[in-house]
Amino acid sequence: MKTQPFLQKVNRILFQSLCAGNFVSRFLLFLTGCILLMQAQGQVDKRLAMADEYFAAGDYFTAAGLYGQFLHPAVKPKYRSDFPLNTKRNSEGRIGSYQSKTGILFKQAESYRLSNYWTEASALYKECFEKDSLKYGAALFWMAVCQRSIGDYATAEETLNKFFSIYGNGHEFYNASLKEKQTLQLIKSQLLRPDSVLYHIQKINTNIGDKGIFAPVAINGNQYLFTSTQTDSVAANSNPHHN
Protein backbone atom coordinates (compact mmCIF):
# COMPACT_ATOMS: atom_id res chain seq x y z
CA MET A 1 0.00 0.00 0.00
CA LYS A 2 2.94 2.33 0.61
CA THR A 3 4.61 1.59 -2.78
CA GLN A 4 1.88 3.20 -4.91
CA PRO A 5 2.07 6.72 -3.37
CA PHE A 6 5.87 6.59 -3.60
CA LEU A 7 5.81 5.74 -7.33
CA GLN A 8 3.28 8.49 -7.95
CA LYS A 9 5.57 10.97 -6.21
CA VAL A 10 8.59 9.82 -8.26
CA ASN A 11 6.63 10.15 -11.51
CA ARG A 12 5.49 13.64 -10.54
CA ILE A 13 9.07 14.73 -9.81
CA LEU A 14 10.34 13.26 -13.11
CA PHE A 15 7.55 15.00 -15.04
CA GLN A 16 8.32 18.34 -13.38
CA SER A 17 12.03 17.90 -14.14
CA LEU A 18 11.29 17.09 -17.75
CA CYS A 19 9.05 20.15 -18.10
CA ALA A 20 11.68 22.31 -16.45
CA GLY A 21 14.31 20.90 -18.77
CA ASN A 22 12.18 21.69 -21.81
CA PHE A 23 11.63 25.24 -20.52
CA VAL A 24 15.37 25.75 -19.99
CA SER A 25 16.13 24.36 -23.44
CA ARG A 26 13.53 26.60 -25.06
CA PHE A 27 14.82 29.60 -23.12
CA LEU A 28 18.44 28.92 -24.11
CA LEU A 29 17.41 28.49 -27.75
CA PHE A 30 15.45 31.75 -27.61
CA LEU A 31 18.37 33.56 -25.98
CA THR A 32 20.80 32.25 -28.61
CA GLY A 33 18.48 33.41 -31.37
CA CYS A 34 18.25 36.89 -29.82
CA ILE A 35 22.03 37.20 -29.60
CA LEU A 36 22.47 36.12 -33.22
CA LEU A 37 19.74 38.51 -34.32
CA MET A 38 21.40 41.39 -32.48
CA GLN A 39 24.67 40.53 -34.19
CA ALA A 40 22.91 40.53 -37.54
CA GLN A 41 21.32 43.91 -36.85
CA GLY A 42 24.66 45.28 -35.68
CA GLN A 43 26.30 44.45 -38.98
CA VAL A 44 26.42 47.10 -41.66
CA ASP A 45 26.78 47.12 -45.43
CA LYS A 46 30.47 47.44 -46.38
CA ARG A 47 29.77 50.43 -48.62
CA LEU A 48 28.10 52.22 -45.74
CA ALA A 49 30.91 51.30 -43.35
CA MET A 50 33.51 52.61 -45.81
CA ALA A 51 31.50 55.80 -46.32
CA ASP A 52 31.50 56.45 -42.58
CA GLU A 53 35.25 55.86 -42.45
CA TYR A 54 35.93 58.32 -45.29
CA PHE A 55 33.61 60.87 -43.69
CA ALA A 56 35.42 60.56 -40.36
CA ALA A 57 38.75 61.02 -42.19
CA GLY A 58 37.53 64.21 -43.88
CA ASP A 59 37.35 62.78 -47.40
CA TYR A 60 33.78 63.99 -47.83
CA PHE A 61 33.52 63.71 -51.60
CA THR A 62 34.45 60.01 -51.57
CA ALA A 63 32.07 59.47 -48.67
CA ALA A 64 29.25 61.11 -50.64
CA GLY A 65 29.81 58.73 -53.53
CA LEU A 66 29.77 55.68 -51.28
CA TYR A 67 26.59 56.81 -49.53
CA GLY A 68 25.07 57.18 -52.99
CA GLN A 69 26.18 53.67 -53.98
CA PHE A 70 24.46 52.28 -50.91
CA LEU A 71 21.24 54.25 -51.42
CA HIS A 72 21.11 53.61 -55.16
CA PRO A 73 22.87 50.31 -55.91
CA ALA A 74 23.58 49.68 -59.58
CA VAL A 75 22.39 46.07 -59.47
CA LYS A 76 19.70 44.80 -57.15
CA PRO A 77 21.29 42.14 -54.89
CA LYS A 78 19.99 38.60 -55.05
CA TYR A 79 17.64 37.49 -52.30
CA ARG A 80 19.36 36.10 -49.27
CA SER A 81 17.79 34.58 -46.21
CA ASP A 82 17.47 36.80 -43.14
CA PHE A 83 17.90 33.83 -40.82
CA PRO A 84 20.34 34.90 -38.07
CA LEU A 85 22.81 32.08 -38.73
CA ASN A 86 23.53 33.64 -42.14
CA THR A 87 24.68 36.95 -40.70
CA LYS A 88 28.14 36.77 -42.31
CA ARG A 89 26.54 36.65 -45.77
CA ASN A 90 23.73 39.01 -44.90
CA SER A 91 25.40 42.36 -44.17
CA GLU A 92 24.57 43.72 -47.64
CA GLY A 93 21.89 46.37 -47.38
CA ARG A 94 22.04 46.66 -43.59
CA ILE A 95 22.01 50.21 -42.22
CA GLY A 96 23.76 49.45 -38.93
CA SER A 97 23.30 52.16 -36.30
CA TYR A 98 21.34 54.45 -38.64
CA GLN A 99 17.68 54.71 -37.72
CA SER A 100 16.53 54.95 -41.33
CA LYS A 101 17.78 55.48 -44.86
CA THR A 102 16.79 59.13 -44.53
CA GLY A 103 19.57 59.44 -41.96
CA ILE A 104 22.02 58.11 -44.55
CA LEU A 105 20.61 60.54 -47.11
CA PHE A 106 21.24 63.41 -44.69
CA LYS A 107 24.81 62.18 -44.18
CA GLN A 108 25.31 62.20 -47.95
CA ALA A 109 24.00 65.76 -48.08
CA GLU A 110 26.45 66.72 -45.34
CA SER A 111 29.27 65.11 -47.32
CA TYR A 112 28.48 67.10 -50.45
CA ARG A 113 28.17 70.33 -48.48
CA LEU A 114 31.47 69.82 -46.70
CA SER A 115 33.15 69.15 -50.06
CA ASN A 116 31.59 72.35 -51.49
CA TYR A 117 29.21 70.63 -53.90
CA TRP A 118 26.40 73.01 -53.01
CA THR A 119 23.90 72.09 -55.71
CA GLU A 120 24.00 68.36 -54.94
CA ALA A 121 23.83 69.02 -51.20
CA SER A 122 20.86 71.38 -51.55
CA ALA A 123 18.83 68.81 -53.49
CA LEU A 124 19.52 66.10 -50.89
CA TYR A 125 18.71 68.40 -47.96
CA LYS A 126 15.40 69.22 -49.66
CA GLU A 127 14.64 65.51 -49.99
CA CYS A 128 15.42 64.89 -46.31
CA PHE A 129 13.18 67.76 -45.21
CA GLU A 130 10.32 66.54 -47.37
CA LYS A 131 10.62 63.01 -45.98
CA ASP A 132 10.63 64.07 -42.31
CA SER A 133 10.31 67.79 -41.59
CA LEU A 134 9.97 67.18 -37.85
CA LYS A 135 13.32 65.44 -37.50
CA TYR A 136 15.30 67.16 -40.27
CA GLY A 137 14.66 70.84 -39.65
CA ALA A 138 18.43 71.33 -39.88
CA ALA A 139 18.19 70.23 -43.52
CA LEU A 140 16.09 73.32 -44.26
CA PHE A 141 18.73 75.59 -42.70
CA TRP A 142 21.60 73.98 -44.59
CA MET A 143 19.58 74.09 -47.80
CA ALA A 144 19.45 77.89 -47.42
CA VAL A 145 23.22 77.97 -46.85
CA CYS A 146 23.80 75.95 -50.03
CA GLN A 147 21.46 78.18 -52.03
CA ARG A 148 23.32 81.26 -50.83
CA SER A 149 26.63 79.61 -51.70
CA ILE A 150 25.64 79.16 -55.35
CA GLY A 151 24.41 82.76 -55.55
CA ASP A 152 20.68 82.06 -55.40
CA TYR A 153 20.12 84.71 -52.74
CA ALA A 154 16.37 85.23 -53.24
CA THR A 155 15.61 81.51 -52.86
CA ALA A 156 17.93 81.27 -49.86
CA GLU A 157 16.01 84.07 -48.16
CA GLU A 158 12.70 82.34 -48.88
CA THR A 159 14.04 79.10 -47.41
CA LEU A 160 15.21 80.89 -44.26
CA ASN A 161 11.84 82.58 -43.82
CA LYS A 162 10.22 79.14 -44.13
CA PHE A 163 12.59 77.87 -41.44
CA PHE A 164 11.60 80.72 -39.09
CA SER A 165 7.88 80.22 -39.72
CA ILE A 166 8.03 76.48 -38.99
CA TYR A 167 10.50 76.24 -36.12
CA GLY A 168 10.75 79.74 -34.62
CA ASN A 169 13.33 80.25 -31.89
CA GLY A 170 12.93 76.74 -30.51
CA HIS A 171 15.28 75.09 -32.99
CA GLU A 172 18.97 74.47 -32.28
CA PHE A 173 19.91 76.25 -35.53
CA TYR A 174 17.88 79.36 -34.76
CA ASN A 175 20.88 81.55 -33.85
CA ALA A 176 22.82 80.26 -36.84
CA SER A 177 19.87 81.03 -39.08
CA LEU A 178 19.78 84.62 -37.75
CA LYS A 179 23.45 85.04 -38.68
CA GLU A 180 22.76 83.53 -42.10
CA LYS A 181 20.00 86.05 -42.66
CA GLN A 182 22.38 88.87 -41.70
CA THR A 183 24.84 87.48 -44.25
CA LEU A 184 22.18 87.61 -46.95
CA GLN A 185 21.29 91.17 -46.02
CA LEU A 186 24.96 92.17 -46.25
CA ILE A 187 25.25 90.56 -49.68
CA LYS A 188 22.16 92.40 -50.89
CA SER A 189 23.53 95.73 -49.64
CA GLN A 190 26.88 95.13 -51.35
CA LEU A 191 25.20 94.23 -54.63
CA LEU A 192 23.34 97.55 -54.54
CA ARG A 193 26.55 99.57 -54.33
CA PRO A 194 27.12 101.70 -57.46
CA ASP A 195 30.75 100.59 -57.79
CA SER A 196 29.80 96.89 -57.93
CA VAL A 197 29.51 97.20 -61.73
CA LEU A 198 33.23 97.95 -61.94
CA TYR A 199 34.30 94.37 -61.28
CA HIS A 200 33.18 90.81 -61.95
CA ILE A 201 34.21 87.67 -60.08
CA GLN A 202 34.35 84.28 -61.76
CA LYS A 203 36.08 80.95 -61.40
CA ILE A 204 39.35 80.56 -63.33
CA ASN A 205 39.42 77.64 -65.76
CA THR A 206 42.95 76.29 -66.01
CA ASN A 207 44.75 72.97 -66.45
CA ILE A 208 47.31 73.95 -63.80
CA GLY A 209 46.77 72.08 -60.57
CA ASP A 210 44.57 69.02 -61.01
CA LYS A 211 42.94 69.52 -57.60
CA GLY A 212 42.41 73.26 -57.87
CA ILE A 213 44.17 76.61 -57.45
CA PHE A 214 43.64 79.15 -54.69
CA ALA A 215 45.06 82.10 -52.71
CA PRO A 216 46.02 84.39 -55.64
CA VAL A 217 48.33 87.32 -54.85
CA ALA A 218 48.80 90.20 -57.32
CA ILE A 219 52.45 90.74 -58.27
CA ASN A 220 52.50 93.18 -61.18
CA GLY A 221 49.75 94.18 -63.60
CA ASN A 222 48.00 91.03 -64.72
CA GLN A 223 50.57 88.72 -63.08
CA TYR A 224 49.54 86.70 -60.03
CA LEU A 225 51.18 84.22 -57.72
CA PHE A 226 48.86 81.42 -56.61
CA THR A 227 48.90 78.03 -54.91
CA SER A 228 47.88 74.82 -56.66
CA THR A 229 47.32 71.28 -55.42
CA GLN A 230 48.83 68.45 -57.46
CA THR A 231 49.06 64.70 -57.14
CA ASP A 232 52.24 62.62 -56.90
CA SER A 233 52.81 58.90 -57.25
CA VAL A 234 53.79 57.96 -53.71
CA ALA A 235 53.89 54.90 -51.51
CA ALA A 236 50.68 53.37 -50.22
CA ASN A 237 49.05 54.92 -47.14
CA SER A 238 50.77 58.24 -47.87
CA ASN A 239 49.16 61.53 -48.81
CA PRO A 240 49.56 61.82 -52.61
CA HIS A 241 48.73 65.53 -52.72
CA HIS A 242 51.10 68.47 -52.32
CA ASN A 243 50.75 72.25 -52.75
Side-chain angles (χ1 to χ4, degrees):
M1 295 295 298
K2 293 182 180 180
T3 304
Q4 188 69 19
F6 175 76
L7 291 176
Q8 292 176 351
K9 185 176 181 180
V10 170
N11 289 332
R12 186 169 63 253
I13 293 174
L14 288 173
F15 177 76
Q16 291 174 348
S17 300
L18 181 62
C19 290
N22 288 337
F23 173 76
V24 172
S25 298
R26 289 196 298 270
F27 176 76
L28 289 175
L29 182 62
F30 172 76
L31 184 61
T32 302
C34 289
I35 293 173
L36 291 172
L37 183 60
M38 289 174 64
Q39 290 178 346
Q41 292 176 339
Q43 287 188 341
V44 61
D45 188 290
K46 62 180 181 180
R47 293 163 297 186
L48 191 55
M50 288 179 61
D52 288 339
E53 290 178 3
Y54 277 106
F55 186 93
D59 191 345
Y60 302 116
F61 182 75
T62 303
L66 289 168
Y67 287 128
Q69 289 180 23
F70 173 80
L71 292 169
H72 308 287
V75 180
K76 188 175 181 180
K78 296 181 180 180
Y79 174 79
R80 291 175 180 172
S81 172
D82 283 331
F83 188 69
L85 292 179
N86 293 331
T87 54
K88 289 185 178 180
R89 297 186 296 126
N90 253 356
S91 62
E92 190 170 8
R94 295 191 181 277
I95 62 176
S97 60
Y98 288 92
Q99 295 182 359
S100 67
K101 286 191 175 182
T102 307
I104 302 172
L105 188 69
F106 184 81
K107 199 68 173 290
Q108 186 186 21
E110 294 279 83
S111 301
Y112 275 126
R113 175 178 63 84
L114 292 169
S115 56
N116 300 331
Y117 282 77
W118 313 110
T119 302
E120 292 81 357
S122 179
L124 294 175
Y125 282 131
K126 184 176 185 293
E127 189 175 348
C128 289
F129 174 75
E130 291 175 345
K131 287 179 178 293
D132 192 345
S133 60
L134 182 63
K135 184 174 181 180
Y136 294 99
L140 195 61
F141 165 75
W142 287 121
M143 185 166 64
V145 172
C146 293
Q147 291 165 344
R148 185 257 300 163
S149 299
I150 60 177
D152 193 355
Y153 306 124
T155 305
E157 189 171 17
E158 291 177 4
T159 303
L160 275 182
N161 290 334
K162 185 176 181 179
F163 177 89
F164 289 127
S165 65
I166 295 176
Y167 304 104
N169 59 3
H171 198 275
E172 60 177 328
F173 279 92
Y174 175 73
N175 291 332
S177 62
L178 287 177
K179 293 181 180 179
E180 183 63 22
K181 190 168 186 177
Q182 292 174 356
T183 299
L184 286 172
Q185 291 172 347
L186 176 62
I187 291 173
K188 289 171 64 176
S189 67
Q190 292 298 306
L191 291 175
L192 291 174
R193 289 180 50 170
D195 60 349
S196 63
V197 297
L198 300 178
Y199 57 87
H200 176 69
I201 300 175
Q202 68 182 36
K203 182 179 179 180
I204 297 176
N205 295 318
T206 175
N207 57 2
I208 302 173
D210 55 0
K211 297 297 181 181
I213 60 175
F214 51 93
V217 178
I219 298 177
N220 184 23
N222 289 329
Q223 292 185 335
Y224 292 85
L225 178 68
F226 58 87
T227 302
S228 67
T229 301
Q230 299 180 348
T231 305
D232 286 332
S233 297
V234 295
N237 301 322
S238 299
N239 187 354
H241 309 303
H242 76 276
N243 292 332

